[in-house]
Structure formats: structure tokens, C-alpha cells
Amino acid sequence: MKFSEQWLREWVSPQLGVQGLADQITMAGLEVDAVEPVAAAFSGVVVAEVVDKRQHPDADKLNVCQVLDGSGEPVQVVCGAANVAVGQKVPFARVGAVLPGDFKIKQAKLRGVESRGMICSASELGLAEETSAGILELPADAPAGEDFRAWMGLDDHTVEVDLTPNRGDCLSLKGLAREVGVLNRLAVTEPDVEPVAASHDETFPVRVEDAERCPRYIGRLIKGVNVTAATPLWMVERLRRSGVRSIDPVVDVTNYVMLELGQPLHAFDRENLHGAVVVRLAREGEQLVLLDGQEITLGASTLVIADERGPLAIAGVMGGEHSGVGPTTRDIFLESAFFSPLAIAGQARSYGLHTDASHRFERGVDPRLTRDAVERATALLIEITGGEPGPLVEAISDAHMPAEREVTLRAARLEQALCKALPPAEVKEILERLGMAVTVTEAGWQAKVPSWRFDIAIEEDLIEEVARIHGYNLLPVRRPAARLALRPDNEARTPLARLRRQLVARGYQEAVTYSFVAPELQQALLPDAVSPRLANPISSDLAVMRASLFPGLIRALEYNLNRQQTRVRLFETGLVFRGDLDELDQTPMVGALVCGERLPEGWAGSRDKVDFFDLKGDLESLIALGGEEHAWRFEPGEHSALHPGQCARVVFRGEPVGWIGALHPAVKAELGLKAEVYLFEVRQDALTHGSLPAFEPLSRYPEVRRDLAFLLDEGRPVQALLDCVRQRAGQWLQELRLFDVYQGKGVPEGSKSVALGLTWQHPSRTLNDEEINQLVDAIVAESHQHLGAELRG
């Protein structure tokens, strides 16, 4: 919400500078994002009148003009603007003036004709972002010779306020002035809004078929308007300083009233309305071309304004192109309505739209403002465009209008929350200044909430109001008293923070992505996944709850690759959501992704790319933190997002807990990724589950090691051999290490050589060769019988 400081001060003017006013608003919970001057710096520009205009003798596109600038004598100036005319009031830069960009005006000759000054356009004065087509025409009553900057009030500031969604009541000058008045104990001067007498009896019928979503609808037929009339400069300037572009007088008036009072309005061309104006839900498949030219297909849950032929506008969002006001419009139907916030919430975003009207209706518009807004707009339209207003047509359902709310505030609860006892009279005064009718009770206060405050419903809301108006900086500072006892440390679990530190130590960076992902990306990775779809998503690419960490990590990878970051190592911890909303399973997971080179670029490092086993080693480093490495297994499996030949199911204590592998080639192609990508995702509870450390005495007796090399079918998992060896190696086996896997010369085709190192140690005696040989023979026999493994000679 942007507003002009000068415009606000017409309503209420505290004894504060613009920065002090901005600071006060911010401290009251309405954060000010920016304070900017409304015009660039310039000097020496005055209001002047063009009294003569002649064709330049040597240039077809130049005119020699005489202007009265208040100095007494006409001043000759050469002007190239096509719209300059005798009798105009214009901004005139005298010789010596300095325009924006430090452009100094000097006396000069243009094609041999002397020019002493310059007639200025809006863009040359910094009043328009785009280059102006001609000079800036001023109202006929502009005083010649007056300093243009002072007459226009350009020593003003635009203040931009970032409002939280609960403070929709401040999306207008009226709301902001009301807030500033409360903070400074000042009365607010509102413009007089008087009912406009009807000049004719003609009306246009209105029918509301969905009173729950639209409890109040007011319309008025205004005949004979002049849409080609010029919007007054004062209104154009107020709109500009509020970030709104002037379009035509009808649109400008509706925008002006919306900014001033907070009530969105819409005007229809009467010639394009047929039968009656109907407020109803859209029928499935109905289409509408919006004012921005976009053609949309309406959903059955969308509230529309229609006539007997079809939809005219999306209620509270945007009007249709066919029924909009155009240059040939003569009669308009002016609409002012109250729509339930729940009826409008999400409708604009569902069609990829966001408008000033929807922004306000979603947050709540004062339901009692509807009539004042249409009367105010009617008066301004008649003043600017002429026309004859008809009587108001109103459809209202009192049963569906927001009910009056009463909220109780207890003095004891207020003191407890603020850590300060406020005088009862001050609390009552604050609530009354906020527009509430207050009754003092034995326990505190009973407050009737005003119609414009949709955000006040419970006692805590009143406490917040009292605190911010009293002043947060006036509340006492109290440090919490806490019993700082040491918390027990469960040694049988690995803290999640330790897993994070381990991954960071191995070169990963933590990613924090949304819990919502794009439906098409999740479908590509997990076609069978079922997760809740959001009814009101932030955007279309964040429309479903994630069923895996993979989509978010891949989006983060794409973001980095698009910025020339080719070596990416990311991890994330968070919930994944599986199942329907009624039976939703929320599982904490740990996921990681690697892509690019194995080592950072450097003179001593190789340029090898990461592979499956790099990522597997990182995952095994997490597993090792729990102290139960033997409880984990990696088994061949198939996952829709992972490469069929480079994919493994992660198993803990016989239960599947995750997946690891390379990204599926089809998914890579669909996403346009050229580099190899490797990912894993494992349940947090499995990784944080560990064994309780226990001391074992160190043996004083020597270790015995045997190295065995087996010839194994190349399709046989090494894990099967390790399990078989461990089963037959006896209780004194201390370590089983895989130290070589080889295929090539000396190894039969279709086989691989797997070399294992086995270490035995007895706690109380030395193991002899006979015992070790028996164990080795048992291992060799068992491996041959179950796996077909042969001892390599």
C-alpha cells in the first residue's frame, strides 16, 4: 500500500516529520518499506500561459511561442510539442532553471530563432516514467507566475507500507488516517459523503443468487457520462503518488475511491448488459475474456457477476473485456458490493491473477462502506464526466452479513501478558479510539468490535491492540527466570544436529526447500505417490505436499546449475507427506544429492566425476555414527526416480528405510539435466537410532589375519558373500574388510574377484593355525555351496 504524505495530512496531521511518521507507523505494527520523494529535484520552473503560437520559419515541426511567466513581458520560446496551443497553462523552465539529471536551461537559438526557456513535459520534470508524448497541460485556473513545484505540492513523499494479511482495514487512506489519529490522539477529518439525488428513475435490475458469498450488492445507473473528459490533474497526481496509473476518468474515479475509502468498485457499460445483473456461481465450462485480454475457463466454485447472457466479471477480482467501459460508453452501471473474504480467497491466484480489488476483498472490506463508496464515486463522476445519476438499487441479506462481535478483556490477563498494570481509564480510551464501544465490567472490559476490524475475535487480539497503541517501547523489560538443569543425553540416539554436522564436514551444504512442490515434477519422479493437493497454493508450481525430498533437492540443483555452479552437494532434513489428508503419514527424512566433480577444483586434485559409491560412502559415514553398521544393508531394487542399474534399497534391521541411486535417465532427459545426479533419502529415525556404547577390555593376545580372494559371479552382490563369511567366521572375528574387487586379465569372463581381509583375536589366549584353518575351510565350503564362489589361486 502506497500513499502520499500530503494526502494523509489532509485527513490527520500529527506534529511529526515524514521519517517520524514512518517510524511511528512501523512501531504500531504497520511496517514501512520505503519513503521516497514524489518527484525528482528541479528548480526554476513556473506556471506560464501560452499567449501566441507561430510556425517556425525554418522547421515544420517547431513552433515559436510567446508565454507569460509572471515576469511582466512575454517570453519567446521554441517548442516542438505537437499539443502546444494558445491559452494553455504549462510548466515553463526559465533560463537558469535546473531540471532532473542536472540539466540546466540556457538561452539558445534553434534554427536561427532565439529561445529563452523551455515548455516542459511530465517526463522532463520526472513526473512520468515513460517519455511523454507532449507537454504537460495544466488546469485553466493554474496561476501564471506561481512556482510550479510549490503549486503542485511536489515537496511530498510516497510512503510504502507492507501490511500483514490481518490488517486489511489499513489498505486505504481512511484506514491509515484512522490509525495515525489513534496513535497521536488526534481527530480525523473525513471528506463529506452526501447522498446524491437521483436525476431520473431508470434502474437496472439486480439479483443475488448466492447471498452467503455476496450479502450486499449496490448498483446505480449513471446516464450520459463523458468518458473522454480529462481526469483532473490533482486526481492524476494522487493516483500516481499511490502507484496507480491514470487511464480514463471512470476507471480513475473507481481507483481513487478504492484508495481513499478502501472499497473496490467496478463500472460496466450499460449497452453491454442484458436482462439483469446476477451474482452467482459460475457454471462449469463458462468462459470469460478479462480486461487484460486473457481468456479463461471458469470453475464451478468461482463467484461471478453475470447478466442473462453469461459472465461479465469475476466477482471481487477483475471485470470482463466485453462489458468494460470504453471510449464510446455513454451510460454506466456502477457496482459496489461486499463479498465474503472466504468467497474471494484464492480465486485470483487460481487464474494466475492478483489485483488491487482481490487483495482487499481477500483480507476483508468494511461491509458498512458499500453505500458511502458508491455515493462518493457518483459525486466525483458527475463532477468530472457529467451525467445523470439514477436511484440506488440494493440487494442485501442481513442474515449473511457479518455479525457484530463482542470480546471480553480481563484486567488480570492484560497485566499478565504485558507485565504491567495500565490504568483502567487508559485501556478504555485506547479501545474507544480504535472505534470500539466499551463497557466496563467487574473483571475488565467488554468491547464491541467495529465492522472494519476482521482481525479482532479473541481476548489476545485486544491485548495486542492495547500493547501497540500504548507503545511496545513503554512495556517493561523482564528476563525470563528458568531452571537451567542439564538435560539427559540419550547415548543410544544420534542427534539430528550431529548428522547435519557430519554432512557439512563432508562438503555438503544444507538446503531448506518448501514442503510444497510442483505436481508435474512429483509426477515425473514418483508417479504412484499420493499426497495432499493444496486448495489455495502460493503458486501453481507449489501445489502439492511433497511425498519425497527428491523434488525439492532437484529444484535446488537446477537453480545452482543455471548459475554456473557445476559441483553441487546438497542435503536436507524434513517431513514428507504420504497418503490422503484423512490418513496422512508424515515422516521425517534425511536426503542428499551430489553432482559434478568429486573434489573441488585445485592443482592437486583430479577432475573425476562423482559416482554411486561416493554418495554411498557419505551415507555410510552417517550410519557409522550410530554404531550399528552391521544392522544396515544395501539391496538391489527398483525406484521410479532412480536408474534401474544404479539403485539400491536401504534396509535397517530388516526393514526398508530409504533409497539410494542415480537419477533415472528418463527423468534427466525430461528435466534437461546433462550431468549425472546421485541421490539418497533415508528415514531420520533409522539414522538417529544407535547402540549404547559399552567398554570391552582390550586383548593382550596377537591378532591373526587371513586374506581370501573369491571368484564370484559378477551379478552376485558382494553383500551376500560378506553375510556368508560373517556367518561361518566364528565369534572371535574382529574385522571383515573388503579391500579389492577386480575384473580383467586372469579372471574368467562373467566373474569378478572379491578380496576380503579377515582378522581374528581371542580375549584370553593366542589362536593357533589349526583353529584358523578350520574356520577358513568352513568359509570356503559355505561360500561355494550357497554362492558358487571359488577360492582364487
Side-chain angles (χ1 to χ4, degrees), residues 365-376:
V365 173
D366 184 358
R368 301 187 183 279
L369 193 60
T370 317
R371 182 180 288 267
D372 285 347
V374 76
E375 296 286 12
R376 174 70 166 154

Side-chain angles (χ1 to χ4, degrees), residues 65 147 180 268 290 313 448 455 482 550 591 620 624 662 683 695 700:
C65 302
D147 181 85
V180 173
F268 297 97
L290 299 173
K448 286 186 177 180
D455 59 317
F550 287 169
E620 287 175 333
R683 274 181 14 207
F695 174 74
R700 296 180 298 169

Side-chain angles (χ1 to χ4, degrees), residues 285-305:
E286 282 187 317
Q287 293 189 325
L288 175 65
V289 179
L290 299 173
L291 284 172
D292 61 0
Q294 177 185 354
E295 184 175 0
I296 61 171
T297 300
L298 298 167
S301 62
T302 301
L303 189 69
V304 298
I305 312 299

